[in-house]
Amino acid sequence: MAAVVNVNVPKGWAELSQEQLRFLLTAMAAVNLGNKNVGYRSQEDYAAQTAAQVQTLCFFKWSGLTVVCPYNSGYLVRSGDMEFMLSAETVAAALTNLSWIEELPPEPVRLDTVDGADAIPADISSGLTFDAWLACETLWQRYQISPDDTLLRQMASILYGKPSIKPDAPETLGIFYWWAGVKNLVSEMFPNFFKKVGVDNDAASPTYDDMRRNIDAQIRALTKGDITKERDILSLDAIRALTELDAQAREYDELQRRYPSKQ
């Protein structure tokens, strides 16, 4: 009689416990480091192989199955007092339940604590000023232009409120996934504003001057050109400031529809 073992694994980023999130980030960092000097046929092949390796590590960790040893093309595994074979095909089918690992989080997830410092709420609903938002956004955009973990660590110092923070590789990677989730969240919350400042996939990456002008434009929009209000605007809660910017963008769109400019 064939062995039947029921296993449960997280179905998405939002279901991860803190322990599971840390394990996932650790697995990602380790696999990326291990594959750094491995020759692959293409970037797509590299991404697929890396994803499969991470998913396999997570599957065995989260399922509670212990790998005794590789056997033929599969694995000899243990569950409690029972040992049995898992074929490569069975494992591959199981990994489809972890395909979400290949996608960026649709909503913010983050490690609660890094280097002894507590994080602000994952959804930045409090604890982040508009000034800090602008700083993180600038660092994020710079990272998109030229990936450098130093930029993510600078973001960590803001998001965890510790200037001297020293996140390890998995924790640094966690900042990337956290802010990617934040970007997805605020794009849903404030579609008018982010439609205005977003760039399409075919557009060139913003330059440093572009970023500076964009920040200046946001501050001017909130201060209505009154520089005496700038300090108060920058100290606003980030979500409150974004709410106002989204409202202004919506009003601008409505005016454009009512009174289209003549070409």
Side-chain angles (χ1 to χ4, degrees), residues 37-91:
N37 297 316
V38 176
Y40 286 95
R41 290 172 296 178
S42 64
Q43 183 62 35
E44 291 75 17
D45 184 39
Y46 171 83
Q49 294 295 331
T50 297
Q53 292 172 49
V54 171
Q55 289 164 6
T56 300
L57 290 170
C58 289
F59 170 73
F60 284 116
K61 175 67 175 180
W62 296 338
S63 66
L65 300 176
T66 301
V67 177
V68 178
C69 64
Y71 189 84
N72 289 335
S73 61
Y75 302 89
L76 177 64
V77 301
R78 179 184 299 116
S79 177
D81 297 329
M82 182 170 51
E83 289 187 356
F84 55 93
M85 276 293 303
L86 277 183
S87 68
E89 292 76 17
T90 300
V91 173

Side-chain angles (χ1 to χ4, degrees), residues 133-205:
W133 161 270
L134 293 173
C136 284
E137 268 293 88
T138 299
L139 291 166
W140 177 257
Q141 293 296 337
R142 289 175 60 191
Y143 185 87
Q144 305 310 303
I145 297 171
S146 180
D148 180 349
D149 285 354
T150 300
L151 300 171
L152 297 177
R153 288 192 287 270
Q154 290 177 36
M155 291 177 67
S157 70
I158 297 171
L159 298 172
Y160 286 87
K162 183 176 181 179
S164 60
I165 197 167
K166 295 179 180 179
D168 60 21
E171 292 165 343
T172 301
L173 186 60
I175 297 299
F176 172 86
Y177 281 97
W178 180 5
W179 203 254
V182 167
K183 295 288 287 185
N184 283 330
L185 174 66
V186 296
S187 294
E188 289 292 327
M189 291 176 64
F190 310 114
N192 301 288
F193 175 64
F194 283 98
K195 179 182 64 178
K196 291 295 180 183
V197 301
V199 293
D200 60 48
N201 292 332
D202 296 327
S205 297

Side-chain angles (χ1 to χ4, degrees), residues 124-139:
I124 65 168
S125 56
S126 63
L128 191 72
T129 65
F130 185 51
D131 192 23
W133 161 270
L134 293 173
C136 284
E137 268 293 88
T138 299
L139 291 166

